[in-house]
Amino acid sequence: DLLRAVASQIQLTESERIYCAKLFQKYADPLNYSRSINSIFLNKTTFSELMVSLGVNPKYIIQYFNVFRFQHTEQIIFSEFLLGVMLMDETTPHDGPAGQLRLQYIFKIYDLNDDQQIGSDEFIHMIRHIRRACGEKTDEQSVFEAAKSKAALMLPEGTRNSFNFNEFVNAVLNKRLRGTSKLFRLPISALGRSSSSSSSSISRSSSSSSSFPSSS
C-alpha cells in the first residue's frame, strides 16, 4: 500500500516510527497514554497544535488538515499522519512513490477552492512560496512576472488561466515548473530525522509530561 511504499523508499526505521507514534499520541490522547495508537485520532484543534509545534505556519494548517485526511473523515488517524509527515520530511526524495504522492498533496494544498484546477491566483501563491524557499525575490511584481512566464510554458496555447493535476505533473516532470521539491516540507522532522533541535525539543516535552510529544 501507499504507506508501505513510502516507508520503504525513505527507509523508515522502527525507532522513527515509534518516535512519530509518541508525538502523535501526545496530542491525540493527552490524558490517557495507555490507549492503542489505532483507537485515537487528531481533530482540527489537536492537529493544528501538533503541526505548529513542528514549525508549520498556522495560516496553512487547514489546508494541511484537508490533505492529510486520506480517508476524508473529520479526523486524522495515525497512518494518515505518518504518511503525511513522511512526505513532508526534508529527507524524503521528490521522486518515486513519495514524489508522486507529494505532487498530489501539493496540488491539493494550492487548489484552495477545491475545483480540481490551479487558477491564476492559486498559481501566484505557489510561485511565491517556491521563490521564498529558493531565496528569490517575493515582491508582488517579481512573483507575478515569474508566474506569468511559467504559466506560458505550461499552457502555451494561452486559452486558459488554470491547469489540472495531470498538466501540473507533466510540467514538473518536464522541468517546465521547477522548485516544487521545496514545497510541503516540515521545518522540524516528525520522525526525529532532522536537526538536533527536533530531538531536544521533544526530549524537553517528554521530561515535562508522560511521553514524547512550512512551512510558510
Side-chain angles (χ1 to χ4, degrees):
D1 64 15
L2 295 174
L3 188 63
R4 275 202 195 103
V6 174
S8 175
Q9 183 184 0
I10 72 169
Q11 299 181 330
L12 183 75
T13 67
E14 180 61 14
S15 63
E16 289 170 341
R17 191 198 68 79
I18 292 172
Y19 182 102
C20 187
K22 288 181 176 179
L23 172 63
F24 179 87
Q25 194 174 38
K26 172 178 168 59
Y27 288 87
D29 186 26
L31 300 179
N32 183 3
Y33 290 106
S34 63
R35 292 172 62 190
S36 164
I37 195 72
N38 295 320
S39 66
I40 58 178
F41 56 84
L42 296 169
N43 57 31
K44 286 182 182 178
T45 300
T46 51
F47 177 79
S48 175
E49 292 169 350
L50 196 166
M51 296 303 279
V52 167
S53 79
L54 296 175
V56 174
N57 189 322
K59 288 194 297 184
Y60 309 120
I61 294 292
I62 187 63
Q63 290 139 259
Y64 285 13
F65 183 80
N66 289 334
V67 300
F68 269 55
R69 293 180 303 136
F70 214 79
Q71 298 182 28
H72 305 295
T73 68
E74 287 304 309
Q75 303 164 349
I76 292 175
I77 60 176
F78 177 63
S79 59
E80 293 172 319
F81 178 74
L82 178 59
L83 179 60
V85 296
M86 285 195 297
L87 294 176
M88 291 185 76
D89 200 88
E90 287 285 355
T91 65
T92 297
H94 199 54
D95 57 17
Q100 293 173 26
L101 272 177
R102 277 181 47 77
L103 290 181
Q104 287 183 36
Y105 279 51
I106 289 168
F107 187 88
K108 290 179 181 178
I109 285 172
Y110 288 94
D111 179 16
L112 298 175
N113 62 2
D114 197 28
D115 66 349
Q116 320 309 313
Q117 299 276 325
I118 297 291
S120 56
D121 288 344
E122 293 165 333
F123 189 52
I124 287 171
H125 190 53
M126 179 187 291
I127 295 302
R128 180 181 298 108
H129 286 180
I130 290 175
R131 290 178 66 84
R132 181 181 298 153
C134 294
E136 299 174 344
K137 291 181 179 180
T138 56
D139 61 277
E140 187 174 341
Q141 186 63 29
S142 297
V143 172
F144 178 79
E145 291 298 332
K148 183 179 178 181
S149 64
K150 291 179 186 297
L153 293 173
M154 296 172 67
L155 301 168
E157 69 275 16
T159 57
R160 291 179 289 134
N161 61 357
S162 65
F163 54 87
N164 60 34
F165 177 68
N166 288 333
E167 290 168 326
F168 171 65
V169 171
N170 287 335
V172 173
L173 295 180
N174 294 320
K175 302 189 184 335
R176 294 195 300 271
L177 178 60
R178 297 174 180 267
T180 55
S181 64
K182 301 283 189 181
L183 300 174
F184 193 56
R185 296 293 189 183
L186 279 173
I188 301 172
S189 176
L191 308 176
R193 280 191 170 185
S194 55
S195 67
S196 58
S197 63
S198 170
S199 300
S200 62
S201 85
I202 289 185
S203 296
R204 286 195 297 272
S205 295
S206 175
S207 64
S208 62
S209 48
S210 306
S211 184
F212 284 92
S214 163
S215 302
S216 63

